[in-house]
Amino acid sequence: LAAGGAAALNQWMERVADAKMVRTRGRPIPAGLVTPEAALVFGLVLCLSGDLLLYFGVNWLAALLALVTQITYLLAYTPLKKYTPWCTEVGAIPGALPPLIGWAAAESGISTLGWILFAILLFWQIPHFMALAWTFRDDYAKAGFPMGSVVDPTGGRIARQAFLFTLLLTTSSLLPTFFGFATIFYTSLAVVLGIWFLFTATRFLLAIDRDTAARKLFWASIAYLPILLGGLVFDRLLLI
């Protein structure tokens, strides 16, 4: 509910820009399936319902983290998209908070492994989104969003960012091992996935055909995260 409400309010806030982009003009508001007024009420009700359920049904920390996620997503990331390419880095923060909501719900606090999950999600989002931003750079230009792929038509800047954050991601993925939370199974999986992801990020950085390299990096990012986190869950079961 909390996440769905934030998504609905984001689409309400960006309804004019969404109508200009091929990727988003089929969304409910620009497609005329939902009125802006209905979307606003729907989003607010979902957000409030999710936060209240977390507060009364789980604990105050989980509810607070959900609220912080909504605020930073809607009042920081979304408006910044119109003004600066740094919106991506800002948006990575609310994008990385959901694991902490679950962690707080289960543990009534946030311990070391919870923060490691936050770091993994934080660093993962940059190569994932940079690949997406390059692929849809024409759409972002039409909507007036100064993404890195728009202000730097060569793509060199976002390719360097994608590579740097992939390095940080690979490093952070090994922290469960460093702190003794994982076995050799997870460690081996994280190393193999990290090498593969770094390889795709390197191709994006050095590629002459950056369009093809961006698509490969995007699909690699889609596969990387569930495999890594699924491996960590399975690894934890081995320790029980």
Side-chain angles (χ1 to χ4, degrees):
L1 289 170
L9 291 176
N10 170 263
Q11 291 191 30
W12 173 76
M13 294 173 69
E14 295 189 336
R15 60 193 183 278
V16 175
D18 281 350
K20 299 177 182 178
M21 298 190 289
V22 175
R23 184 175 65 92
T24 55
R25 64 189 180 191
R27 287 177 175 175
I29 301 176
L33 302 175
V34 175
T35 66
E37 295 78 15
L40 174 61
V41 173
F42 182 66
L44 289 172
V45 169
L46 286 186
C47 283
L48 182 61
S49 299
D51 295 344
L52 289 176
L53 280 172
L54 285 170
Y55 181 79
F56 289 106
V58 187
N59 58 52
W60 69 269
L61 182 56
L64 177 62
L65 288 170
L67 180 62
V68 170
T69 301
Q70 293 162 346
I71 290 173
T72 52
Y73 181 64
L74 294 170
L75 301 184
Y77 168 66
T78 297
L80 282 176
K81 287 172 69 175
K82 299 178 182 178
Y83 301 105
T84 173
W86 290 104
C87 64
T88 304
E89 287 76 7
V90 173
I93 296 173
L97 284 173
L100 293 187
I101 301 174
W103 202 271
E107 216 176 52
S108 297
I110 303 173
S111 56
T112 303
L113 189 53
W115 286 113
I116 292 174
L117 291 178
F118 173 81
I120 289 174
L121 266 290
L122 182 75
F123 297 140
W124 170 84
Q125 288 176 88
I126 304 303
H128 169 76
F129 184 78
M130 292 307 177
L132 187 71
W134 181 255
T135 301
F136 293 103
R137 60 192 182 279
D138 292 337
D139 259 3
Y140 285 121
K142 291 176 185 176
F145 291 147
M147 299 298 182
S149 56
V150 174
V151 299
D152 176 21
T154 68
R157 177 176 178 268
I158 65 170
R160 288 190 294 272
Q161 284 181 284
F163 180 78
L164 172 62
F165 278 89
T166 302
L167 279 175
L168 293 172
L169 170 64
T170 303
T171 302
S172 64
S173 72
L174 296 175
L175 290 178
T177 302
F178 179 81
F179 285 100
F181 296 122
T183 70
I184 189 64
F185 170 79
Y186 170 80
T187 305
S188 301
L189 180 65
V191 169
V192 171
L193 287 174
I195 292 173
W196 173 52
F197 206 3
L198 277 171
F199 175 72
T200 60
T202 301
R203 291 183 65 176
F204 183 49
L205 177 65
L206 303 178
I208 297 176
D209 183 4
R210 190 157 275 148
D211 289 349
T212 300
R215 287 192 292 272
K216 290 182 178 180
L217 177 60
F218 175 77
W219 288 114
S221 71
I222 292 293
Y224 174 91
L225 194 63
I227 295 174
L228 181 79
L229 297 182
L232 181 59
V233 171
F234 181 77
D235 188 83
R236 295 294 292 172
L237 294 175
L238 295 177
L239 294 174
I240 295 176

